[in-house]
Amino acid sequence: MADQVKRELKRLQQGKATGPDNVCPRVLRACADQLSRVLQRLFNLSLCLEKVPVLWKTSCLVLVPKKGRPSVLNDYRPVALTSHVMKALERLVLSHLRPLVSSSLDTLQFAYQPNVGVKDAIIYMLQRAYSHLDKAGNGHLLYKKGQSRLYFLRRLRSFNVCSKMLHMFYHSVVVSAIFYAVVCWGSGIRAVDSNRLNKLIRRASSVIGSGLDPLEVVAERTMVSKPEAIMDNVSHPLYDMLVEMKSTFSNRLIHPWCDRERYRRSFLPSAIRLYNASTLRLGRGNIDSDLFLD
């Protein structure tokens, strides 16, 4: 146990500020050989009595300026300084608890894991996203699902089901397969996949006996309505971002800067372009109606 305490004391960073107990980590690290047995007794006594000294669980809140000349409270970053002795005890307890719960941890947990952090989470997320987007079979999967739903639509027509019921079946069953999450991939779909899905829609249109909106129209309509829904929901994660993009001179949204074509064709930039175009058309329509009324 004394060797474990010594190892944890040696791991302390010398440049860190002291906590409320005013014990400097430089002293703990330099005197690790002499203090290891003393702290071992204190740690064991604290665990046996199930009590922690007040100074060990107290923190000092220090405001660190974010910029050179802070003027408001938001210009400061609060930093809590805790006891370095308590940090050593926490690491010792963690070293005993981790083997007991490691088998129950989620494989996708990146926090509080050794040699794993935020960078690893970002790398994993981007790898999964890019590898999924790079697959050529995504559009093919949607096409196969749409074909299977279209089969049932044809079967219904063979039983002389009325056109109204066929139309309801298409919008409730077939559309969910063809346009699944179209707001996410509608702007970046390949031309080959788009043509195949539109071909499927035309087949469904011939079965129903009435015209149906193609993929581009549905994707545009969905992507235009999404920014409006986000800006109407203050709890949405993208609410603050879209509100900051609002123009002070019109109802348009400021288009984000795009260095890469992949980002330019992603949801947010594409949705903003479509939203601005629809706003412009709506404004022109209002002007024309005003002129007509005059």
Side-chain angles (χ1 to χ4, degrees), residues 14-70:
Q14 301 182 20
K16 293 292 184 178
T18 60
D21 54 2
N22 292 324
V23 178
C24 180
R26 185 184 300 272
V27 175
L28 294 174
R29 183 168 179 171
C31 303
D33 296 333
Q34 294 78 14
L35 295 176
S36 58
R37 293 193 176 277
V38 177
L39 291 178
Q40 175 191 358
R41 298 191 187 96
L42 291 176
F43 291 163
N44 288 332
L45 185 62
S46 175
L47 295 175
C48 292
L49 297 178
E50 299 180 359
K51 292 183 179 180
V52 179
V54 177
L55 284 179
W56 288 8
K57 56 183 180 181
T58 304
S59 62
C60 297
L61 193 63
V62 179
L63 298 179
V64 179
K66 297 180 182 178
K67 54 185 181 179
R69 295 182 178 180

Side-chain angles (χ1 to χ4, degrees), residues 63-91:
L63 298 179
V64 179
K66 297 180 182 178
K67 54 185 181 179
R69 295 182 178 180
S71 57
V72 294
L73 288 178
N74 288 335
D75 295 338
Y76 294 92
R77 180 183 295 107
V79 177
L81 303 179
T82 57
S83 171
H84 292 279
V85 178
M86 186 61 187
K87 291 180 181 178
L89 175 58
E90 290 173 348
R91 293 194 183 101

Side-chain angles (χ1 to χ4, degrees), residues 169-215:
F169 181 85
Y170 170 79
H171 283 283
S172 59
V173 178
V174 182
V175 166
S176 62
I178 300 177
F179 301 121
Y180 175 73
V182 67
V183 69
C184 302
W185 51 262
S187 59
I189 188 173
R190 300 185 309 166
V192 176
D193 295 330
S194 177
N195 293 334
R196 297 187 69 187
L197 292 177
N198 280 326
K199 183 178 180 180
L200 197 64
I201 295 172
R202 289 193 296 269
R203 290 177 182 174
S205 177
S206 63
V207 173
I208 296 175
S210 61
L212 298 173
D213 292 333
L215 174 66

Side-chain angles (χ1 to χ4, degrees), residues 97-249:
L97 291 179
R98 192 188 298 277
L100 301 177
V101 300
S102 58
S103 59
S104 303
L105 294 177
D106 194 322
T107 55
L108 297 180
Q109 178 175 333
F110 295 92
Y112 308 107
Q113 294 279 48
N115 302 322
V116 179
V118 177
K119 295 179 181 179
D120 301 276
I122 296 175
I123 292 172
Y124 177 82
M125 180 189 68
L126 293 178
Q127 169 62 24
R128 293 296 301 271
Y130 287 150
S131 61
H132 178 75
L133 292 173
D134 197 53
K135 291 180 180 178
N138 291 332
H140 179 65
L141 292 177
L142 291 175
Y143 181 78
K144 289 183 63 177
K145 288 184 179 180
Q147 272 190 323
S148 63
R149 307 287 176 89
L150 187 60
Y151 167 78
F152 294 107
L153 186 65
R154 288 171 173 166
R155 291 291 295 172
L156 287 176
R157 190 187 63 172
S158 66
F159 293 120
N160 296 324
V161 176
C162 65
S163 177
K164 184 177 181 180
M165 292 296 297
L166 293 176
H167 205 275
M168 291 176 58
F169 181 85
Y170 170 79
H171 283 283
S172 59
V173 178
V174 182
V175 166
S176 62
I178 300 177
F179 301 121
Y180 175 73
V182 67
V183 69
C184 302
W185 51 262
S187 59
I189 188 173
R190 300 185 309 166
V192 176
D193 295 330
S194 177
N195 293 334
R196 297 187 69 187
L197 292 177
N198 280 326
K199 183 178 180 180
L200 197 64
I201 295 172
R202 289 193 296 269
R203 290 177 182 174
S205 177
S206 63
V207 173
I208 296 175
S210 61
L212 298 173
D213 292 333
L215 174 66
E216 294 78 11
V217 174
V218 176
E220 179 177 345
R221 183 170 61 243
T222 308
M223 295 184 71
V224 168
S225 61
K226 194 61 177 177
E228 297 176 351
I230 293 175
M231 289 186 290
D232 290 338
N233 183 7
V234 295
S235 61
H236 196 281
L238 293 176
Y239 173 81
D240 294 334
M241 183 183 299
L242 284 181
V243 169
E244 291 178 357
M245 291 180 176
K246 278 188 175 181
S247 174
T248 56
F249 304 101

